Amino acid sequence: MSRLQVVSGKGGTGKTTVAAALALALAREGGRTLLVEVEGRQGLAQLFGAEALPYEERKIAVAPGGGGEVYALAIDAERALLDYLQMFYKLGSAGRALKKLGAIDFATTIAPGLRDVLLTGKACEAVRRKDKSGRYVYDHVIMDAPPTGRITRFLNVNDEVAGLARFGPIHNQAQAVMKVLKSPETAVHLVTLLEEMPVQETADGIEELRRAGLPVGRVVVNMVRPHHLDEDTLRTAAGDHRAEVAKSLSRAGLGGARRGGLAERLVDPLLTQAAEHASRVELERAQRAVLAGLDLPTYELPLLGAGMDLAGLYALAKELRKQSVAE
């Protein structure tokens, strides 16, 4: 499995949750994963119930059944640029002075390509990093990336910095980043819902990634709701079966089936709910057909309720492993 897992998706699809669950799923049998945030939202800290992540790698969770560890890092573009200036130009205190003057923020604002190469570069450095024994420090690096509409531009840093630097350290850094991002070491996964807009944005995102030569991994359908009705009941909901439903309710002890009886009064709201459910099932079938046409492995994660907590993350990680997404 690719060592750099990039997770993107339309806003509201739960891409951060999926990225965190994937990190837990991969951190098994004593392994170590690094979970990287690049948007500055501190969404990972909220999911794990931790304090705001600093600009340093910090252990945030232990995976069940094997003692694997999950580390997390919130990459800050300003701090990354200061590191870069120190690494290549040995600016030291001069770099800190530039930050106080606002020059660092100015540089990353007027040159978004520079910002992106710094953010992706930090993650790629973690992928390549080895300890003294020559072993990789992290078995996997998971990046909670920008939304689908911006993911190709964010990752295609070589094109973004082409007009900014055609040679020198920045150009070389972009080339090194792209070498990782376009290699088998990387896979870009897209998270969606079984709804028309997220599915269409997923299809568009996959097309853009492929055109850019970036490796597309899997599609993860998140927050899938269960189907409560079997096929026969769904067909009943689509037709006019008031009398049959009323009699069934009456036989179940819910009042009389005649007009005005309790069972008869329950028919309309029940049929309305059943029809809405049947309509949703049909919509989801149509969206699954669209996803099937993308020619990618597709996996589904269940809806676990109104909110997400640490127990929910572990449940999703278990489901990912069950479906062999983390293989």
Side-chain angles (χ1 to χ4, degrees):
M1 189 176 189
S2 302
R3 296 188 60 250
L4 175 59
Q5 312 279 317
V6 180
V7 180
S8 181
K10 178 177 170 58
T13 59
K15 68 177 181 65
T16 299
T17 298
V18 172
L22 181 59
L24 281 170
L26 289 169
R28 56 185 181 178
E29 298 172 1
R32 284 159 53 109
T33 63
L34 175 64
L35 186 53
V36 176
E37 182 176 76
V38 298
E39 294 187 277
R41 296 185 295 107
Q42 290 292 338
L44 294 175
Q46 294 174 31
L47 275 175
F48 284 95
E51 296 180 356
L53 295 174
Y55 182 65
E56 63 183 39
E57 293 156 27
R58 173 177 293 180
K59 187 164 75 173
I60 198 170
V62 176
E69 297 175 332
V70 177
Y71 286 73
L73 168 67
I75 303 178
D76 176 82
E78 289 190 15
R79 291 287 301 275
L81 182 52
L82 284 173
D83 285 352
Y84 178 84
L85 292 173
Q86 174 61 21
M87 183 182 302
F88 288 103
Y89 300 104
K90 309 299 181 185
L91 288 187
S93 59
R96 291 189 291 274
L98 287 173
K99 177 176 173 63
K100 289 182 180 179
L101 292 172
I104 303 297
D105 182 58
F106 178 73
T108 54
T109 300
I110 65 169
L114 172 61
R115 179 182 182 277
D116 290 348
V117 78
L118 291 167
L119 295 174
T120 54
K122 191 73 175 176
C124 289
E125 181 276 326
V127 171
R128 296 189 299 257
R129 193 189 313 157
K130 295 182 179 181
D131 59 22
K132 294 180 180 179
S133 67
R135 180 180 176 181
Y136 286 114
V137 173
Y138 295 107
D139 298 290
H140 297 280
V141 176
I142 317 300
M143 181 192 295
D144 177 23
T148 315
R150 294 195 290 116
I151 187 60
T152 301
R153 184 174 181 180
F154 174 76
L155 294 176
N156 204 19
V157 294
N158 201 40
D159 287 349
E160 289 298 301
V161 302
L164 179 67
R166 298 186 182 277
F167 54 87
I170 294 177
H171 172 77
N172 294 338
Q173 173 80 346
Q175 295 276 32
V177 168
M178 290 311 302
K179 186 175 181 180
V180 174
L181 293 179
K182 289 193 173 184
S183 77
E185 285 187 288
T186 300
V188 184
H189 308 306
L190 297 181
V191 182
T192 187
L193 306 178
L194 285 176
E195 298 174 5
E196 188 173 358
M197 286 186 64
V199 167
Q200 185 57 54
E201 189 162 315
T202 297
D204 293 342
I206 289 169
E207 184 180 352
E208 289 181 3
L209 288 164
R210 285 172 169 165
R211 278 202 308 265
L214 291 161
V216 183
R218 300 172 169 88
V219 174
V220 180
V221 183
N222 195 25
M223 293 186 273
V224 176
R225 289 174 286 186
H227 292 173
H228 298 294
L229 304 178
D230 58 29
E231 293 298 321
D232 289 340
T233 308
L234 287 173
R235 283 192 290 272
T236 299
D240 185 10
H241 302 277
R242 291 180 50 82
E244 295 174 38
V245 174
K247 290 177 182 178
S248 295
L249 292 173
S250 181
R251 286 195 296 270
L254 295 176
R258 293 183 179 181
R259 187 173 183 82
L262 176 59
E264 195 273 340
R265 294 199 304 272
L266 289 173
V267 170
D268 279 343
L270 284 174
L271 285 181
T272 297
Q273 288 188 30
E276 290 174 352
H277 183 75
S279 177
R280 177 170 65 81
V281 169
E282 189 58 35
L283 172 65
E284 290 177 353
R285 282 177 178 159
Q287 298 313 309
R288 281 192 175 96
V290 174
L291 293 173
L294 298 177
D295 194 27
L296 287 172
T298 301
Y299 303 92
E300 297 190 359
L301 291 175
L303 176 67
L304 296 181
M308 177 57 61
D309 56 15
L310 193 55
L313 277 182
Y314 278 97
L316 292 181
K318 182 178 180 180
E319 184 64 28
L320 286 172
R321 292 185 61 177
K322 180 180 176 182
Q323 296 186 45
S324 300
V325 176
E327 295 294 337

